[in-house]
């Protein structure tokens, strides 16, 4: 499960809103990481952490370290993350490792360098709040993801709303480039 908590573009919001979101993130980390660990959930954060305060980065690293061996669900939080940034970072890493191959990389090699290289590509993307866009979220990984948009706001997105999203997903034919007859 990957949650888009704070995009790299969210820094453009009013300073008091950014401050509130950072406080909320900090309180959530403080309150939830131990509970995640108790439930066998692995916690990861993807994104550029360089703009966060040292105390926040320390809390993130502590949570990742504490839960690193958990084998249940992996909960990934995208914080100061952007899909375009992710692709550029992956390209920089590949070029640094293999400068002689600058014109000869494969999709698989790029995928291995992306922030979510440890997880499968998403099957279902749920966007709440009435927005009808993916907002620079996992651009590479969403190529064959089923998209679900709802007017329900995130705080109100409950079990019933999730069931509706899953029912919509289950009603779809996933072909991955093939015809219906091939599926």
């Amino acid at each position: 499960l990957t949650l888009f908590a704070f995009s790299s573009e969210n820094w453009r919001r009013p300073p008091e809103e950014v401050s509130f979101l950072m406080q909320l993130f900090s309180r959530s980390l403080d309150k939830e990481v131990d509970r995640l660990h108790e439930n066998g959930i692995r916690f990861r954060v993807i994104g550029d952490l360089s703009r966060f305060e040292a105390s926040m980065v320390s809390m993130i690293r502590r949570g990742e370290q504490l839960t690193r061996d958990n084998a249940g669900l992996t909960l990934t939080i995208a914080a100061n993350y952007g899909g375009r940034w992710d692709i550029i970072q992956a390209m920089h890493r590949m070029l640094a490792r293999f400068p002689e191959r600058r014109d000869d990389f494969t999709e698989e090699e790029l995928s291995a360098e992306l922030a979510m290289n440890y997880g499968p590509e998403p099957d279902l993307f749920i966007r709440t709040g009435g927005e009808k866009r993916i907002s620079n979220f996992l651009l590479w990984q969403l190529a064959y993801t089923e998209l679900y948009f709802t007017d329900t706001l995130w705080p109100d997105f409950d079990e019933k709303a999730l069931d509706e999203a899953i029912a919509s997903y289950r009603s779809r034919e996933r072909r991955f480039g093939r015809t219906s007859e091939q599926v």
Side-chain angles (χ1 to χ4, degrees), residues 38-49:
E38 291 166 10
N39 287 290
I41 297 171
R42 182 179 176 203
F43 172 73
R44 298 282 306 259
V45 174
I46 59 170
D48 179 5
L49 302 185

Side-chain angles (χ1 to χ4, degrees), residues 31-121:
K31 185 174 133 184
E32 299 297 332
V33 167
D34 288 330
R35 197 167 90 176
L36 293 172
H37 183 55
E38 291 166 10
N39 287 290
I41 297 171
R42 182 179 176 203
F43 172 73
R44 298 282 306 259
V45 174
I46 59 170
D48 179 5
L49 302 185
S50 67
R51 290 194 64 182
F52 293 134
E53 293 182 7
S55 60
M56 172 95 63
V57 174
S58 178
M59 291 173 73
I60 290 168
R61 296 298 180 227
R62 176 199 167 271
E64 290 178 329
Q65 179 71 19
L66 176 68
T67 65
R68 75 173 188 263
D69 295 326
N70 292 347
L73 174 79
T74 297
L75 173 63
T76 301
I77 304 296
N80 195 24
Y81 171 88
R84 292 174 177 173
W85 167 86
D86 194 9
I87 293 168
I88 293 294
Q89 296 306 305
M91 288 301 306
H92 286 302
R93 283 190 291 276
M94 287 190 331
L95 288 169
R97 286 182 35 213
F98 306 106
E100 72 285 356
R101 293 187 51 214
R102 55 175 273 211
D103 294 325
D104 188 34
F105 291 113
T106 66
E107 287 184 21
E108 291 78 18
E109 289 170 317
L110 180 64
S111 291
E113 296 295 337
L114 294 169
M116 288 285 299
N117 62 7
Y118 56 87
E121 292 183 351

